[in-house]
Amino acid sequence: MQDIAVMLARYLPKLALPQVGITDVIEIALISFFVYQFMVWIKFTRAYTLLKGILIVLGFIFIAYVFQMSTILWIVKNLSTVLITAVIIIFQPELRKVLEQLGQKKIMSAIPLFDTSKEVQERFTDKTVNELVKACFDMGEVKTGALIVIEQNIRLTEYERTGINVDAVLTSQLLINIFEHNTPLHDGAVLVRGNRIVAATCYLPLSDNMELSKQLGTRHRAGVGISEVSDSLTIIVSEETGQVSVAKGGKLSRGLTSAQLREALVKAQNKKVVDNGKLRHLLKGRAKHEQ
C-alpha cells in the first residue's frame, strides 16, 4: 500500500491535464448540437434503413481487415472513391431536405434543454381518427375504392411529389369527395401527414410478395408495397367487396371492423405527454438547493 502511495506521489505531478477554455466548451456544444440534429434527421427519413445497410457493409470490411483478406481489401480500396460518391447520390434528397430544415429552425428551441414547453405529442388528433374511420366505412358501404397512406416517422416526400398537392385539413367529406367515381383525384393514393391531406393521386410501389392472394388487385398491392418500404399505415377500401383493410410492415389485415380500424389508428397516433421544461426545472431545483 505504501509503495502505491509513493508511486502516485511520484507520477501524479507529471500528469498534464488539458486546459479547457470557453472556446472548447462552445466547440463541444456546437458539435453536440449538430450530432443531435443529424441523429434526428436519420430517424425521420428512409436514410435510417440505408444507414443500417452501410453499417453491415462496414462490418464486413472490418472482418476482412481483421482476417487480412487481401483481395476484398484491394477491391474496397480501389472502389472507395466510387462508394463515397454513390452514398452522396443516394442520400441527395435527404441531405437537401435536412439543410432546408436547418435553415428554417429556431436554433434555441431546437435544443431540448432550452425548450420549456409542456405538450401532448401525437401524430394526429382524435378528431382525425374519427374522420378516417367514418370516411372509410361510409365508402365501404357504397363500395367506393380508396387508398389512404398515413405517414409516420419516415417522410414520404418522394411519393408526395408524384401526386397533386392538396394541403387541406382532413375531413370525412373531403376524403369521400376525392375518391368518388369519375372525379379528377380519385385514381391513386391519398397521403396524410398529421391532420392534413397533403397530396392525392400519388403513385405507390407495388408489392411483389407472392404470398398475397391472387384475388387482390393493384390497390391492395400498392398498399402493401408502400408499407414494405416505409413505416406508414395504409388503409385500403375495396371497390369490389367494400371491405376495409390495413397494411403495416408488409402485412395485410383484411375485413377490419370499425373498432379494429380505430385501434390501429390509435396505435399509430402514438400519443404521449412530454414535459420539455428541463432547463426550467434544473434552474428551479438549483435555486432551491442554494436556499
Side-chain angles (χ1 to χ4, degrees):
M1 192 69 180
Q2 188 176 0
D3 294 337
I4 295 174
V6 172
M7 186 181 298
L8 290 174
R10 181 184 302 172
Y11 288 105
L12 279 178
K14 297 180 181 180
L15 293 176
L17 297 176
Q19 297 293 327
V20 179
I22 298 297
T23 306
D24 300 314
V25 174
I26 295 173
E27 188 176 9
I28 292 170
L30 287 173
I31 292 173
S32 302
F33 171 74
F34 284 111
V35 168
Y36 171 78
Q37 292 298 325
F38 177 77
M39 292 171 65
V40 170
W41 165 65
I42 287 291
K43 181 181 177 182
F44 290 100
T45 63
R46 285 204 304 159
Y48 179 66
T49 306
L50 296 174
L51 182 64
K52 289 194 292 185
I54 291 173
L55 290 176
I56 292 173
V57 173
L58 290 176
F60 177 74
I61 294 172
F62 177 75
I63 293 173
Y65 175 79
V66 170
F67 291 98
Q68 291 298 306
M69 300 178 182
S70 56
T71 304
I72 295 176
L73 294 175
W74 180 85
I75 293 172
V76 170
K77 181 180 178 181
N78 286 273
L79 292 179
S80 58
T81 306
V82 177
L83 291 174
I84 292 171
T85 306
V87 168
I88 294 173
I89 293 172
I90 291 170
F91 285 104
Q92 185 269 334
E94 285 82 5
L95 288 170
R96 179 176 177 178
K97 184 176 179 180
V98 74
L99 290 174
E100 290 175 352
Q101 290 177 342
L102 189 61
Q104 296 170 357
K105 280 182 177 292
K106 295 180 180 179
I107 300 299
M108 296 305 291
S109 63
I111 302 175
L113 187 63
F114 291 93
D115 189 359
T116 58
S117 62
K118 185 176 182 178
E119 59 182 355
V120 176
Q121 287 188 354
E122 56 188 5
R123 294 194 178 100
F124 43 85
T125 63
D126 294 336
K127 182 177 183 299
T128 298
V129 172
N130 295 332
E131 296 290 330
L132 282 166
V133 173
K134 184 178 185 306
C136 290
F137 282 90
D138 283 353
M139 288 186 288
E141 286 181 4
V142 295
K143 296 185 178 180
T144 298
L147 182 57
I148 305 168
V149 181
I150 302 171
E151 184 184 81
Q152 297 197 66
N153 290 329
I154 297 177
R155 295 289 180 181
L156 302 176
T157 309
E158 59 184 292
Y159 303 106
E160 177 186 348
R161 291 172 183 158
T162 65
I164 297 173
N165 186 44
V166 177
D167 193 22
V169 175
L170 188 152
T171 63
S172 58
Q173 294 89 343
L174 179 56
L175 279 173
I176 292 170
N177 189 65
I178 288 174
F179 289 110
E180 186 64 34
H181 294 288
N182 302 321
T183 56
L185 301 180
H186 86 282
D187 192 21
V190 159
L191 178 59
V192 175
R193 179 178 297 138
N195 299 304
R196 303 184 72 84
I197 299 174
V198 294
T201 70
C202 298
Y203 294 101
L204 304 180
L206 298 180
S207 173
D208 56 0
N209 186 352
M210 301 301 294
E211 295 181 2
L212 291 176
S213 173
K214 301 298 182 183
Q215 299 176 350
L216 299 178
T218 305
R219 185 177 286 112
H220 286 81
R221 287 194 172 274
V224 176
I226 189 64
S227 72
E228 290 174 342
V229 299
S230 71
D231 62 349
S232 63
L233 175 72
T234 306
I235 306 172
I236 308 108
V237 181
S238 173
E239 191 172 356
E240 287 75 22
T241 63
Q243 283 189 340
V244 176
S245 306
V246 166
K248 182 80 171 71
K251 296 181 179 179
L252 182 67
S253 301
R254 302 174 63 186
L256 270 64
T257 63
S258 59
Q260 290 172 326
L261 177 60
R262 185 181 301 276
E263 183 182 351
L265 288 171
V266 169
K267 187 176 180 180
Q269 191 180 13
N270 196 30
K271 183 187 292 187
K272 56 185 176 181
V273 178
V274 178
D275 184 7
N276 294 323
K278 299 176 182 178
L279 181 62
R280 180 181 56 195
H281 293 311
L282 180 63
L283 295 176
K284 187 183 293 185
R286 182 177 178 182
K288 185 177 180 180
H289 178 72
E290 289 176 351
Q291 289 175 1

